[in-house]
Amino acid sequence: DIKRAGRTMAKRGVTGEIHVADFSPSSTIGTNVEPISDMLGLLAKANAAGDETAVVTARKGETDLDALGGGKIPATNAEDIEDFITDEIGSAPDIVIGAADYNPTDPASAKRDVIASLYDKQVDNVHFYDDDPENARRVAQLCKGVEGMEGVELDIYNYEFAKGGGAGTPSFSCIVGEDE
């Protein structure tokens, strides 16, 4: 594939470098995961209250990754995250999803789309926590309106949680579908 890309570039008269990244090591969360107590505490509290909870990772959750050496590497991130959280707080989120399973080229948009597709009409408030400003910005696009989510309060918490960023106050809130 790399050689084919080089030939295609040459035919178009384009010169330069081809950069290749091997994302197959991201098929698992690995063993060096550092728990973020504030986030795990919020999840435990929500689970105890009977709230619906979900973890959406930018990685692939279950879909195989292509390996540079050929073949496929199974992604275990969804299962790994569920096991990690259960080990940490004694309960698991209701669902763990890999955004890259839905859109591997644009996980930030996939996070937004996953939230819209997971939305349960019984829910009147959605809390979204993410340390990546781009992911928060994309999820905020739901505020413009999504069929079936009109009137839902969306609270977005965009802080550096691993560095102790506060998760108690939303950095942005809206009512989905209201003009603001």
Side-chain angles (χ1 to χ4, degrees):
D1 288 342
I2 296 168
K3 288 180 181 178
R4 187 174 349 114
R7 287 191 298 271
T8 301
M9 287 173 60
K11 285 179 186 175
R12 291 189 314 207
V14 176
T15 60
E17 300 175 2
I18 297 175
H19 296 261
V20 178
D22 181 7
F23 289 103
S24 62
S26 71
S27 65
T28 176
I29 64 170
T31 58
N32 297 329
V33 179
E34 293 291 326
I36 302 173
S37 342
D38 290 346
M39 295 286 88
L40 291 170
L42 284 169
L43 183 59
K45 184 178 176 183
N47 281 348
D51 293 341
E52 291 185 47
T53 57
V55 172
V56 182
T57 178
R59 296 174 175 221
K60 289 192 173 191
E62 300 173 340
T63 306
D64 293 347
L65 287 91
D66 295 319
L68 281 179
K72 301 280 185 184
I73 296 174
T76 61
N77 287 306
E79 182 181 343
D80 294 347
I81 290 168
E82 186 173 320
D83 290 345
F84 174 79
I85 291 171
T86 300
D87 289 347
E88 290 293 321
I89 66 171
S91 65
D94 294 311
I95 190 167
V96 179
I97 292 179
D101 288 340
Y102 290 85
N103 187 342
T105 59
D106 191 1
S109 289
K111 283 189 175 189
R112 175 198 61 217
D113 298 342
V114 165
I115 289 168
S117 70
L118 284 178
Y119 173 69
D120 180 336
K121 295 184 186 327
Q122 304 296 322
V123 175
D124 58 3
N125 188 269
V126 174
H127 299 271
F128 177 78
Y129 300 85
D130 203 307
D131 60 356
D132 185 325
E134 181 59 17
N135 292 341
R137 187 183 72 74
R138 297 285 180 93
V139 169
Q141 291 173 345
L142 294 172
C143 295
K144 295 177 185 173
V146 174
E147 187 176 333
M149 279 188 78
E150 296 87 357
V152 171
E153 184 177 344
L154 175 61
D155 295 319
I156 298 172
Y157 302 78
N158 180 228
Y159 301 101
E160 291 191 45
F161 305 112
K163 295 181 179 178
T169 304
S171 49
F172 178 77
S173 293
C174 73
I175 304 296
V176 176
E178 285 190 3
D179 293 329
E180 265 188 58

